Amino acid sequence: MVLRKLLRKRWVLGVVFGLSLIYFLASTLKQAKRTVRDRALLQARDPDHRIDWKVHFNLGNSSRQINRCRNSIQGKVLLTDELGFVCQREDLLVNGCCNVNNPSTSQYLCKSCLSNGCCGVYEYCVSCCLQPDKQQLLERFLNRAAEGFQNLFTAVKDHFELCLAKCRTSSQSVQHENTYRDPMAKYCYGENPPELLPI
């Protein structure tokens, strides 16, 4: 009851409004500073940024902790390491590399991939993209990428990171921003989008 009477007084409403206005202005100013800082970071990037196309790794694929591999991490069943090997999650060595001695492990596997560079499985897309002969295709893509898209790909340091990003973020595989052009081949590293399937 006392709270209700207090809220009806004009000076209390004025204080609440004033504090809300101060909070709004402070958060807007903070957001503007972040935006300016982010733009400055993007513009400070080297326009001649080059991708490291060779993976620096000793191919001695043992379980020693000295050599480490990055891998695609997220697959429930399959993983792709930075050398292009695809393996079952249980065949991953402690150093992050696929066990190349396992018969089910394959390098540069393009299973489920179409001729346009779109695949049905993310790990196969990354592995196929890592083939050395795909370097020219990826360089053409980087040279023609739109400015906003280019900012996304300037953060990648090497061929493996480029393939991870390209297979994961291809806007070419969607239409109307909410449906896949081809639900069976939605992970793309190639230049051409998947065929538009009739609904």
Side-chain angles (χ1 to χ4, degrees):
M1 193 71 164
V2 174
L3 183 62
R4 225 181 244 176
K5 284 184 181 182
L6 188 63
L7 286 177
R8 288 186 183 166
K9 297 192 180 204
R10 286 187 177 175
W11 68 271
V12 172
L13 292 175
V15 169
V16 169
F17 176 75
L19 291 174
S20 298
L21 183 63
I22 290 170
Y23 174 77
F24 171 75
L25 292 174
S27 63
T28 302
L29 184 62
K30 202 180 291 184
Q31 181 63 33
K33 284 181 182 178
R34 268 192 231 122
T35 303
V36 168
R37 185 191 69 216
D38 291 347
R39 280 190 187 147
L41 283 173
L42 287 174
Q43 289 172 351
R45 292 238 181 244
D46 181 12
D48 296 326
H49 175 72
R50 297 282 177 223
I51 297 290
D52 185 11
W53 294 105
K54 299 201 182 351
V55 176
H56 299 293
F57 185 80
N58 180 1
L59 195 53
N61 202 4
S62 69
S63 60
R64 292 177 297 160
Q65 289 293 330
I66 298 168
N67 297 329
R68 304 275 311 152
C69 262
R70 295 170 295 166
N71 60 59
S72 58
I73 299 171
Q74 70 219 28
K76 289 180 183 177
V77 179
L78 295 174
L79 292 169
T80 301
D81 68 18
E82 65 185 298
L83 300 172
F85 287 98
V86 178
C87 62
Q88 301 282 328
R89 181 171 277 285
E90 60 266 10
D91 295 331
L92 193 68
L93 298 172
V94 293
N95 64 359
C97 299
C98 289
N99 182 357
V100 296
N101 298 321
N102 191 306
S104 66
T105 298
S106 298
Q107 189 176 29
Y108 305 134
L109 192 59
C110 296
K111 198 171 169 183
S112 86
C113 295
L114 304 175
S115 59
N116 63 357
C118 292
C119 310
V121 178
Y122 175 72
E123 288 75 15
Y124 295 152
C125 179
V126 174
S127 180
C128 198
C129 175
L130 283 170
Q131 289 180 348
D133 65 341
K134 301 292 191 271
Q135 179 179 340
Q136 285 184 328
L137 173 98
L138 294 168
E139 282 179 338
R140 276 196 312 267
F141 163 75
L142 287 174
N143 291 335
R144 289 191 307 211
E147 188 174 318
F149 213 43
Q150 187 72 35
N151 289 337
L152 173 66
F153 288 104
T154 55
V156 301
K157 295 179 182 74
D158 59 24
H159 192 174
F160 179 66
E161 288 182 7
L162 178 61
C163 289
L164 285 175
K166 184 78 171 92
C167 288
R168 185 179 300 123
T169 60
S170 178
S171 60
Q172 292 181 337
S173 61
V174 294
Q175 67 174 358
H176 310 304
E177 298 180 7
N178 63 358
T179 55
Y180 288 109
R181 293 174 63 93
D182 182 354
M184 301 308 288
K186 55 189 172 186
Y187 306 105
C188 300
Y189 65 85
E191 293 177 290
N192 301 318
E195 293 292 320
L196 184 59
L197 295 180
I199 297 175

